[in-house]
Amino acid sequence: MKNLFAFGFLALALTVASCGGNTSNTEANADSLKGIVDSTAKTLTDSINNVADSANSKIDSIADSVKNVK
């Protein structure tokens, strides 16, 4: 009977320990993924802004050329 309680306690301890470890790993993974998503979003936003600025410059250049032709 003592061995049964010992094994039961060991199983409970391992269950509690594994649940606690998974929670912190999940939170760490969530934080890591949030950082990756934020970084990717910032990079994409910067890239889109650069393309828009380049397109605006080209359009302005074409508009100036058209004005000079007249």
Side-chain angles (χ1 to χ4, degrees), residues 1 3 7 14 19 22 24 27 29 31 36 53 58-59 61 64 69:
M1 192 69 162
N3 288 337
F7 283 118
L14 289 174
C19 288
N22 287 340
S24 62
E27 290 172 3
N29 289 341
D31 290 343
I36 291 170
D53 290 343
K58 188 67 173 174
I59 290 169
S61 174
D64 289 342
V69 170

Side-chain angles (χ1 to χ4, degrees), residues 2-67:
K2 264 186 168 176
N3 288 337
L4 182 61
F5 285 118
F7 283 118
F9 181 78
L10 179 61
L12 177 64
L14 289 174
T15 302
V16 170
S18 69
C19 288
N22 287 340
T23 301
S24 62
N25 286 340
T26 302
E27 290 172 3
N29 289 341
D31 290 343
S32 176
L33 287 175
K34 181 184 180 298
I36 291 170
V37 169
D38 288 346
S39 174
T40 303
K42 184 180 182 320
T43 302
L44 287 174
T45 301
D46 290 344
S47 178
I48 290 169
N49 286 338
N50 289 337
V51 169
D53 290 343
S54 177
N56 284 336
S57 295
K58 188 67 173 174
I59 290 169
D60 289 344
S61 174
I62 292 171
D64 289 342
S65 296
V66 170
K67 284 181 186 177

